[in-house]
Amino acid sequence: MSVLLKRAVHVDYSQIYVLSDPTDDVVPGDPFNGQTNGICGAATPGGLFLVTGLQDGSVGFTVELHDRRPKLGSKWGDVVEVSFAASGEGVALKEWCGSRYPLDLPQGAYRVRYCACDMDEGKLEGTLVEDISPDEYLLQFWPAPVADDRIVRQTSEVAKSWHRGRVEKSPSRWSISRKPSSEDDARRRAELAKLDSELVTVLVKSKVQLQRRVAGWAAMHALTKAGMVDLPPLMPALDCLRQGKPTPKPFSNELKAMELLVDAVPRSTVKRIVTGTDNDKRRVSRQAYAISALAAAGQRNATRAAIETIYAAAIVYGPEYVTLFARLRAEFPEL
């Protein structure tokens, strides 16, 4: 067994990649097309799209090369296997818009085991500026013929959600987020109600036209607060929002929007909103949640669009979310 890499690496938007082509910055195409698992995309030749629990920050990452299938340790709560073809000498672990770590992986066909522990704990961290996240990852390669991907072990809610997204995927190219359910709607309403219960009550009873206008307004304010309203790639979406229309494709898909904006977005963080405490020091990416607000405004269900967009916008504002809600009521007296 050879250890090809063992270090802390940086992830953005809960993703990091293995790439064979040195000219690639991200895995092109749809790396999850036709797969069962949703945390290790291997459908694009020569690339792996790896999903993490942590949204932004550093995680512990180990890459190993074995001559045969290794034993699976009990430490790893979420494990999937895929096939991978190393097509050149440029194979590397690549951060999103960041460093590239070469992997001494000979050309050939491999089976890959992607192992994760504490993904849920990592997701709760949101964004880490200095510390290393509690979630940790192991990538194991060994020579093997091509075979379908499979889920070996699943214990976290994060992995469960991504896996379910593959089963319930929509036809869009980047549709690796699962369909919202009634349970999701109830949870998001409850989260927003912790910030302003009266707003949720009135909004749910409002007419569809008002809900659409509110969603567009909230998305615009989230993008403005995140410093993104002047980005040229966003202009088609911004035009729709200003006209009170839902977010158009491809911006209504969160991951596709992230892909399109990968080289354009600024970066800033804000203190995470945690009701009932002032001691939480965790921070989240303003731009990531602004993109979430943009995508949410494109939901077909107008109530869901309004609730999710306002909630994402509130996170972008952080502790200043009360200012956002005051401006919202000033703009829409019906609320």
Side-chain angles (χ1 to χ4, degrees):
M1 186 269 286
S2 301
V3 177
L4 305 183
L5 182 77
K6 187 177 180 64
R7 59 165 297 140
V9 298
H10 193 88
V11 298
D12 288 276
Y13 303 120
S14 299
Q15 57 193 261
I16 193 167
Y17 325 100
V18 171
L19 301 171
S20 291
D21 189 340
T23 65
D24 283 341
D25 285 324
V26 297
V27 180
D30 182 357
F32 291 88
N33 183 37
Q35 289 196 175
T36 299
N37 96 84
I39 63 173
C40 181
T44 299
L48 297 176
F49 187 115
L50 307 172
V51 176
T52 63
L54 183 71
Q55 178 173 280
D56 298 287
S58 296
V59 298
F61 211 104
T62 302
V63 182
E64 298 174 347
L65 174 61
H66 298 257
D67 56 5
R68 61 178 61 88
R69 179 186 297 273
K71 291 183 178 180
L72 176 58
S74 59
K75 169 182 178 178
W76 307 103
D78 294 287
V79 181
V80 301
E81 289 184 3
V82 300
S83 290
F84 175 79
S87 57
E89 298 179 355
V91 180
L93 184 72
K94 174 67 170 60
E95 298 174 349
W96 186 89
C97 213
S99 300
R100 181 184 291 263
Y101 304 102
L103 303 177
D104 187 13
L105 193 66
Q107 293 187 27
Y110 294 90
R111 193 65 173 167
V112 184
R113 181 186 289 161
Y114 183 44
C115 309
C117 68
D118 298 328
M119 290 190 81
D120 288 339
E121 289 77 2
K123 183 176 179 61
L124 288 174
E125 293 292 344
T127 294
L128 286 175
V129 178
E130 297 180 355
D131 298 332
I132 296 179
S133 181
D135 50 331
E136 185 180 348
Y137 301 89
L138 169 67
L139 202 58
Q140 298 173 310
F141 293 83
W142 66 93
V146 175
D148 291 339
D149 76 303
R150 71 186 187 104
I151 300 170
V152 179
R153 184 182 295 167
Q154 181 262 303
T155 60
S156 73
E157 288 299 315
V158 170
K160 180 180 178 181
S161 176
W162 286 108
H163 296 332
R164 188 187 304 170
R166 296 314 308 156
V167 175
E168 301 176 0
K169 65 182 183 299
S170 64
S172 64
R173 175 177 165 222
W174 270 94
S175 57
I176 60 174
S177 296
R178 64 184 177 85
K179 261 185 195 176
S181 65
S182 57
E183 290 81 7
D184 294 321
D185 290 344
R187 181 171 61 253
R188 186 63 76 220
R189 290 182 190 184
E191 290 170 342
L192 184 57
K194 291 179 182 179
L195 303 179
D196 194 322
S197 59
E198 182 180 351
L199 177 60
V200 174
T201 300
V202 176
L203 192 58
V204 169
K205 296 179 180 179
S206 299
K207 294 182 179 180
V208 169
Q209 185 178 10
L210 176 60
Q211 292 172 337
R212 285 292 179 201
R213 290 168 55 210
V214 165
W217 182 94
M220 283 292 297
H221 276 68
L223 293 167
T224 301
K225 191 71 172 178
M228 298 172 62
V229 288
D230 294 325
L231 300 181
L234 271 181
M235 292 308 162
L238 297 176
D239 288 342
C240 286
L241 294 178
R242 292 188 179 103
Q243 297 172 36
K245 298 178 180 179
T247 305
K249 293 180 180 180
F251 301 99
S252 55
N253 184 290
E254 188 170 345
L255 287 179
K256 179 58 179 176
M258 288 180 180
E259 179 196 20
L260 291 174
L261 300 172
V262 64
D263 295 322
V265 295
R267 295 193 182 188
S268 62
T269 62
V270 63
K271 184 177 179 182
R272 180 175 177 171
I273 301 174
V274 180
T275 56
T277 178
D278 293 325
N279 298 322
D280 197 295
K281 297 182 180 180
R282 287 174 289 185
R283 302 181 68 83
V284 296
S285 166
R286 271 197 162 120
Q287 289 71 38
Y289 277 97
I291 292 174
S292 295
L294 175 67
Q299 294 266 9
R300 291 183 179 180
N301 184 295
T303 304
R304 180 182 297 149
I307 294 290
E308 292 192 4
T309 307
I310 292 174
Y311 184 73
I315 295 178
V316 173
Y317 270 68
E320 300 177 17
Y321 74 88
V322 291
T323 302
L324 173 71
F325 290 174
R327 291 174 179 170
L328 177 65
R329 287 191 168 96
E331 180 71 20
F332 303 98
E334 308 96 307
L335 301 176

